[in-house]
Amino acid sequence: EIVLTQSPATLSLSPGERATLSCGASQSVSSSYLAWYQQKPGLAPRLLIYDASSRATGIPDRFSGSGSGTDFTLTISRLEPEDFAVYYCQQYGSSLTFGGGTKVEIK
Amino acid sequence: QVQLQESGPGLVKPSETLSLTCAVSGYSISSGYYWGWIRQPPGKGLEWIGSIYHSGSTYYNPSLKSRVTISVDTSKNQFSLKLSSVTAADTAVYYCARDTAAVLGNFDYWGQGTLVTVSS
């Protein structure tokens, strides 16, 4: 099983700042089959990025994904008030697993 | 617009079987895609349970495989989850979702989730 480790666990930032979230895999994720989700309290996760760097339908271009192999990054270029949430990475190159999440909170 | 809606008992006794159904609207399950179940214990992260194709082909999380059965009813455009021998550790919000890939992939449409509590 591929274990995904997200860091940091919590990121405290102000609106307008840049957020950089990391997702590390215990082994290489084939074909960059990695996705990112945003989850707000009481709601289902929302797909942001798939195949490591492709934005899902309707996702603003301030969200971008990068990486390959075992190291992946989600970047939010300028935080909007609605971006404060928990973010999860998920790999689907070998079975399917999720990371533990990074909470982006208002500083 | 694709919509998914989970339904089932909110309370299950320990050692019994948890049963949930996901009704899909706005898209025919028979048209393709895998359809999955994901759960989230209160205050914790996401865990994939398993996924099914309209043909009945399934993939399960190895850690849950011995207790999980996912089935599909294309005539009702719905799929179901059964988790046997439940314990308090199975208390979670259970989501159903559409898997975008030809096999296992990412999930683009989700239900709102349903909380299932395991308690006597």
Side-chain angles (χ1 to χ4, degrees):
Chain A
E1 171 181 302
I2 296 179
V3 176
L4 299 179
T5 302
Q6 293 188 240
S7 61
T10 304
L11 197 52
S12 298
L13 295 168
S14 301
E17 290 194 294
R18 181 184 186 90
T20 302
L21 287 67
S22 296
C23 178
S26 60
Q27 53 190 284
S28 184
V29 177
S30 63
S31 304
S32 296
Y33 284 152
L34 188 112
W36 290 92
Y37 299 85
Q38 175 193 70
Q39 187 178 33
K40 296 180 180 179
L43 297 180
R46 172 194 182 196
L47 178 66
L48 299 175
I49 301 288
Y50 63 94
D51 295 350
S53 60
S54 297
R55 269 188 300 276
T57 302
I59 300 304
D61 60 8
R62 65 179 180 274
F63 291 92
S64 62
S66 62
S68 63
T70 61
D71 296 301
F72 297 87
T73 301
L74 174 70
T75 302
I76 310 172
S77 59
R78 288 178 56 86
L79 282 165
E80 297 288 341
E82 62 267 28
D83 298 337
F84 292 92
V86 179
Y87 293 82
Y88 293 96
C89 57
Q90 176 227 327
Q91 68 80 26
Y92 43 101
S94 174
S95 188
L96 201 158
T97 52
F98 287 91
T102 290
K103 181 180 182 179
V104 178
E105 65 176 22
I106 299 176
K107 186 174 182 179
Chain B
Q1 175 76 348
V2 180
Q3 293 185 320
L4 297 91
Q5 179 68 57
E6 306 90 349
S7 63
L11 181 64
V12 181
K13 291 183 168 57
S15 80
E16 295 189 344
T17 296
L18 177 160
S19 296
L20 295 174
T21 295
C22 181
V24 179
S25 59
Y27 188 87
S28 172
I29 286 180
S30 298
S31 295
Y33 293 112
Y34 269 77
W35 302 83
W37 289 97
I38 302 99
R39 70 180 183 178
Q40 185 172 38
K44 297 188 178 180
L46 300 164
E47 180 180 36
W48 172 68
I49 300 169
S51 297
I52 190 165
Y53 197 58
H54 65 80
S55 63
S57 172
T58 53
Y59 288 89
Y60 295 135
N61 184 326
S63 69
L64 297 169
K65 186 175 183 177
S66 64
R67 298 194 292 131
V68 174
T69 302
I70 297 176
S71 59
V72 64
D73 186 338
T74 54
S75 67
K76 294 182 178 179
N77 214 38
Q78 64 186 34
F79 59 106
S80 299
L81 168 70
K82 290 188 185 299
L83 180 66
S84 64
S85 305
V86 297
T87 69
D90 295 309
T91 293
V93 174
Y94 286 75
Y95 295 100
C96 58
R98 187 178 81 167
D99 185 328
T100 65
V103 184
L104 293 182
N106 49 79
F107 299 98
D108 60 350
Y109 289 97
W110 294 66
Q112 65 185 20
T114 187
L115 174 63
V116 179
T117 301
V118 178
S119 174
S120 55

